[in-house]
Amino acid sequence: MTKIKNIKPLGFPWETKDPFLFCAYHKDDFPAGDEQMGMPKKEFIGRNIGQDFVIKDGFRMYHGRRVPGFPYHPHKGFETITINKEGFVDHTDSLGGAGRFGEGDVQWMTAGKGILHSEMFPLIHQDKKNPLEIFQIWLNLPKVSKLVEPHFKMLWKDMIPVITETDDLGNKTFIDVIAGNYKGTQAPDTTPDSWAANPANGVEVLTIKMEANATFTLPASTVKGVHKTLYFYQGDHLVIEENKIPKESIIEVNPEEAISIQNGSKEAFLLVLQGKPLNEPVVQYGPFVMNTDAEIQEAFHEYQTTQFGGWPWPEQEQTHAKEKGRFAIHIDGREEIK
């Protein structure tokens, strides 16, 4: 039985397999910010502000008009997993939740029956660049959980296990266990309504850094019937089961087999997504993911009528005070400070 099912180039966003919907990878070399943590005016030249998705001078503004990022927008019927590797994200939502998370932190948000939220990338530093690197993974919710109450959970950097594996030549591979169980090491609990909350669904989210020339073996899944995909987004090349694979590749593997990975001459970085498919109809229209066309129409009607609670913040692209550290204020008023 072949260990590699398919290899294809990365696009934007990255293609995923059920139960995931897609993964958006953002890497921007933002310049020093102004006093309001926004983009200096000289950087606006030649950009389609409000719809800036083309990399120019190393970065994009996305939908931001003053601060890079995604001003308030709705979600319904799925979850977002936002993995932050560098820079900061300022979160606010229609139910009063807020937070700032940074390098190594992960936000797991259940949109459920509907929420408005904003994700801005504040340019905190005025005296140096503000690089940003994040993944946002959309994980579907099963029909039974589409209308649960929305909320989010922080998986702070110090909560996420990092496994170090050393090969026979002393080269190291580092595995961040964000979801699931890796060789007996359990990730933090997800949100309770998530498809990932039930171990029987075999959901696994890993980020992997391999030193130059390192080798390691990705174990077979302990859960039958899952999809397992590797995203090789930075490095030189990999050799996987005698296949030389260039960077910026998607590698769909047989989850029932252990996979031997040998790195090339540069550090390599991978994302691994695994999970049992929901095997339910998926009807997606923009930020709404339901099971039928009628449910999508209902979602639009509800959003137009209720705005999913409205927007309690003064700005559509809300940021927090520059001196504020990493924190989270949850919908129930509970506060975390890091």
Side-chain angles (χ1 to χ4, degrees):
M1 183 180 293
T2 180
K3 293 190 177 185
I4 296 181
K5 294 183 173 182
N6 195 17
I7 302 171
K8 65 177 76 171
L10 284 173
F12 185 84
W14 297 351
E15 286 184 35
T16 57
K17 304 279 286 188
D18 187 1
F20 301 97
L21 297 162
F22 70 79
C23 174
Y25 175 63
H26 303 287
K27 187 173 177 63
D28 294 277
D29 191 21
F30 291 123
D34 63 18
E35 292 183 356
Q36 287 76 44
M37 299 181 294
M39 188 66 63
K41 289 184 179 179
K42 66 179 181 179
E43 301 289 354
F44 284 35
I45 298 170
R47 294 184 182 276
N48 182 18
I49 297 300
Q51 293 285 342
D52 180 31
F53 282 81
V54 177
I55 294 179
K56 177 180 179 292
D57 301 327
F59 66 90
R60 299 152 287 199
M61 284 289 289
Y62 302 102
H63 293 307
R65 295 185 173 275
R66 181 178 59 85
V67 178
F70 296 88
Y72 83 134
H73 54 281
H75 287 313
K76 180 172 181 170
F78 64 99
E79 299 190 287
T80 61
I81 308 166
T82 306
I83 303 170
N84 188 320
K85 291 296 187 182
E86 190 173 22
F88 292 95
V89 177
D90 276 4
H91 164 91
T92 44
D93 64 48
S94 55
L95 302 179
R100 171 175 288 166
F101 56 99
E103 179 181 348
D105 299 328
V106 176
Q107 186 201 59
W108 198 301
M109 189 186 79
T110 303
K113 68 179 186 180
I115 192 169
L116 273 171
H117 79 151
S118 170
E119 305 156 286
M120 305 309 300
F121 311 140
L123 307 184
I124 290 175
H125 303 295
Q126 287 182 255
D127 58 346
K128 61 181 181 180
K129 288 189 173 185
N130 291 274
L132 176 88
E133 183 180 14
I134 64 170
F135 307 84
Q136 185 166 97
I137 301 159
W138 287 24
L139 174 62
N140 205 0
L141 283 168
K143 183 177 179 64
V144 69
S145 302
K146 289 284 189 190
L147 301 182
V148 298
E149 293 294 328
H151 63 285
F152 72 90
K153 181 174 185 176
M154 290 307 307
L155 310 182
W156 300 108
K157 180 178 181 178
D158 59 8
M159 298 168 59
I160 297 171
V162 180
I163 308 302
T164 303
E165 297 195 358
T166 305
D167 64 21
D168 292 341
L169 298 177
N171 300 309
K172 291 181 170 56
T173 296
F174 306 92
I175 303 103
D176 290 27
V177 188
I178 294 164
N181 187 297
Y182 180 83
K183 294 185 178 180
T185 296
Q186 181 64 46
D189 289 341
T190 68
T191 50
D193 298 302
S194 178
W195 185 246
N198 184 348
N201 294 328
V203 174
E204 193 174 87
V205 178
L206 310 173
T207 58
I208 297 173
K209 179 174 78 170
M210 300 182 70
E211 292 183 342
N213 304 309
T215 62
F216 93 110
T217 299
L218 193 65
S221 173
T222 58
V223 177
K224 301 293 184 183
V226 298
H227 292 144
K228 189 169 196 168
T229 308
L230 283 57
Y231 299 84
F232 174 34
Y233 62 94
Q234 188 174 330
D236 175 23
H237 72 271
L238 300 176
V239 177
I240 301 181
E241 301 299 334
E242 300 182 354
N243 294 272
K244 186 175 181 178
I245 297 173
K247 69 176 181 178
E248 299 183 352
S249 292
I250 299 174
I251 309 106
E252 184 184 350
V253 301
N254 179 356
E256 297 180 8
E257 300 277 355
I259 305 295
S260 173
I261 303 175
Q262 180 178 349
N263 191 19
S265 59
K266 297 180 180 178
E267 278 190 331
F269 295 83
L270 300 94
L271 171 73
V272 178
L273 298 180
Q274 174 187 288
K276 186 176 289 187
L278 275 64
N279 290 325
E280 294 180 352
V282 175
V283 181
Q284 179 179 348
Y285 195 92
F288 305 139
V289 183
M290 304 302 289
N291 297 109
T292 67
D293 289 331
E295 289 170 344
I296 290 289
Q297 293 172 359
E298 290 171 12
F300 267 102
H301 177 72
E302 182 184 2
Y303 175 56
Q304 291 168 349
T305 304
T306 70
Q307 294 288 291
F308 295 153
W311 191 245
W313 305 93
E315 302 287 343
Q316 292 184 10
E317 47 186 77
Q318 184 70 33
T319 54
H320 307 302
K322 183 182 294 188
E323 64 275 9
K324 193 87 171 170
R326 293 152 58 231
F327 77 98
I329 299 174
H330 296 271
I331 294 165
D332 60 6
R334 180 171 54 91
E335 186 169 4
E336 298 175 87
I337 299 175
K338 302 303 286 185

